[in-house]
């Protein structure tokens, strides 16, 4: 099976006084990701697309300091997020698409509980028991219409690709590129592809038991959000006009390719996206 892992676009905006929407997600990197998807679909056929969480940023529903320019940006983010998924479905019509809940995505649930408990779990009139509540990622993004599977319950939610390979959003954030090694050392008998940290990392591990070696790998593909200070973070800041100043985060943009055999053997291949450019199998992909 050919699997494409898509990490942390953190779709969101600031809206300035002139109506301009300034995105948190990197549209050039997302363009390159679509070009790679189209190439893979045409050449091999994509079997699965796995979103590793933090699909939406939802800053107005977070617990951190608010900015005036966050106002009236949730709807444009939801619209963009739905359109991105619809384009993925059109590009890879037979692929299974899975979306993991991240800590930013579950801000919706926490916001409702903290501010409007009476609306918790409300569904549209005469909804079937299995339908999603109105204030939920699957309902707002219309995931059922696009045949996208949602894995919630962050941080416990995980998606098992094989009995020994899982995808998670993740909770670890360690400096100096050591997040992947944290998962490898904590779970040396399984392999993990995670989001959350926004850095490209890969750590291999070999332990053994009475039957011989047990090999695993922990990997992070990076992110598809902007890395120039646009995303609200501990290190970012805005000027007196409410616009973010340039601040290059220690983040890297990319996606990851996974090839999985029926016997549980697999390999992971990161694709680094740099300034709207990437190369894979000797072919260059550049944002238009």
């Amino acid at each position: 099976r050919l699997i494409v892992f898509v990490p942390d676009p953190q779709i969101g905006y600031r809206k300035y006084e002139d109506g301009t929407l300034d995105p948190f997600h990197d549209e050039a990197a997302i363009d390159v990701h679509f070009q790679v998807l189209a190439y893979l679909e045409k050449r091999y056929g994509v079997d699965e697309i796995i979103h590793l969480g933090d699909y939406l940023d939802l800053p107005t529903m977070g617990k951190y300091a608010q900015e005036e320019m966050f106002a009236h940006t949730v709807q444009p983010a939801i619209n963009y997020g739905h359109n991105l998924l619809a384009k993925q479905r059109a590009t890879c019509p037979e692929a299974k698409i899975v979306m993991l809940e991240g800590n930013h995505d579950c801000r919706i649930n926490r916001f409702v509980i903290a501010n409007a408990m009476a609306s918790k779990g409300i569904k549209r009139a005469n909804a079937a028991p299995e339908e999603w509540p109105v204030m939920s990622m699957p309902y707002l993004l219309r995931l059922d219409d696009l045949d996208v599977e949602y894995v919630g319950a962050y941080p416990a939610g995980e998606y098992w690709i094989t009995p020994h390979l899982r995808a998670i959003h993740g909770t670890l954030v360690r400096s100096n590129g050591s997040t992947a090694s944290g998962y490898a050392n904590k779970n040396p008998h399984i392999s993990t592809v995670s989001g959350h940290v926004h850095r490209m990392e890969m750590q291999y591990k070999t332990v053994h038991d009475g039957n011989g070696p047990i090999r695993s790998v922990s990997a992070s593909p990076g992110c598809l959000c902007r890395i120039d200070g646009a995303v609200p973070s501990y290190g970012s800041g805005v000027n007196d006009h409410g616009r973010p100043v340039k601040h290059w985060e220690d983040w890297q943009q990319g996606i990851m390719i996974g090839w999985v055999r029926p016997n549980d053997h697999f390999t992971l291949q990161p694709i680094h996206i740099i300034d709207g450019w990437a190369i894979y199998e000797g072919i260059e992909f550049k944002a238009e």
Side-chain angles (χ1 to χ4, degrees):
R1 289 182 292 156
L2 171 58
I3 300 170
V4 180
F5 298 92
V6 181
D8 299 56
Q10 292 197 210
I11 297 166
Y13 298 95
R14 287 180 179 87
K15 187 174 183 179
Y16 302 133
E17 292 180 356
D18 62 0
T20 301
L21 289 170
D22 188 15
F24 301 162
H25 49 282
D26 193 303
E27 295 180 348
I30 291 171
D31 184 2
V32 170
H33 130 277
F34 272 118
Q35 292 182 42
V36 174
L37 266 186
Y39 169 78
L40 292 171
E41 175 66 18
K42 183 177 180 179
R43 182 174 177 120
Y44 302 108
V46 175
D47 295 290
E48 293 187 42
I49 300 170
I50 302 176
H51 290 271
L52 295 172
D54 282 1
Y55 189 72
L56 301 182
D57 190 88
L58 302 173
T60 55
M61 298 183 185
K63 62 182 180 180
Y64 298 104
Q66 296 294 302
E67 298 176 22
E68 179 184 355
M69 303 306 177
F70 292 162
H72 309 298
T73 60
V74 174
Q75 191 63 56
I78 290 170
N79 293 346
Y80 185 96
H82 173 78
N83 291 340
L84 192 159
L85 291 168
K87 187 173 179 180
Q88 282 186 338
R89 173 55 68 208
T91 303
C92 305
E94 301 301 320
K96 180 178 182 180
I97 303 179
V98 177
M99 178 182 291
L100 288 155
E101 182 179 64
N103 54 296
H104 283 255
D105 304 310
C106 68
R107 283 176 168 176
I108 292 178
N109 184 55
R110 293 172 181 171
F111 181 84
V112 169
I113 291 173
N115 299 282
M117 180 65 85
S119 67
K120 172 66 177 171
I122 286 180
K123 302 179 181 181
R124 59 181 178 171
N126 299 312
E130 66 274 10
E131 284 195 31
W132 298 102
V134 173
M135 287 296 289
S136 69
M137 287 279 290
Y139 184 88
L140 294 172
L141 292 171
R142 298 165 58 183
L143 298 190
D144 288 349
D145 294 346
L146 298 171
D147 193 20
V148 175
E149 178 180 335
Y150 192 70
V151 180
Y154 175 83
E158 54 190 7
Y159 176 71
W160 288 91
I161 301 159
T162 77
H164 300 98
L165 173 62
R166 64 175 181 165
I168 62 173
H169 178 62
T171 57
L172 293 180
V173 178
R174 296 183 177 177
S175 60
N176 302 319
S178 60
T179 303
S181 65
Y183 288 115
N185 292 326
K186 183 179 180 181
N187 303 286
H189 292 71
I190 61 174
S191 294
T192 301
V193 180
S194 62
H196 191 53
V197 71
H198 294 190
R199 288 195 292 266
M200 299 189 77
E201 300 182 12
M202 187 172 288
Q203 180 71 49
Y204 291 87
K205 186 82 172 178
T206 301
V207 296
H208 69 278
D209 61 14
N211 294 319
I214 301 172
R215 306 176 182 92
S216 66
V217 58
S218 295
S220 166
C223 61
L224 288 180
C225 61
R226 287 170 61 182
I227 60 175
D228 60 355
V231 177
S233 74
Y234 289 110
S236 67
V238 296
N239 61 25
D240 291 340
H241 302 287
R243 297 175 183 255
V245 298
K246 289 293 181 183
H247 168 76
W248 297 101
E249 305 276 6
D250 182 18
W251 301 344
Q252 297 82 43
Q253 295 172 331
I255 58 175
M256 185 165 283
I257 308 301
W259 292 96
V260 181
R261 297 281 294 170
N263 63 359
D264 203 24
H265 287 175
F266 62 88
T267 185
L268 301 175
Q269 303 171 351
I271 299 179
H272 191 187
I273 301 174
I274 307 169
D275 298 330
W277 173 91
I279 189 165
Y280 179 70
E281 294 189 341
I283 298 174
E284 291 185 282
F285 303 90
K286 186 171 179 59
E288 299 177 355

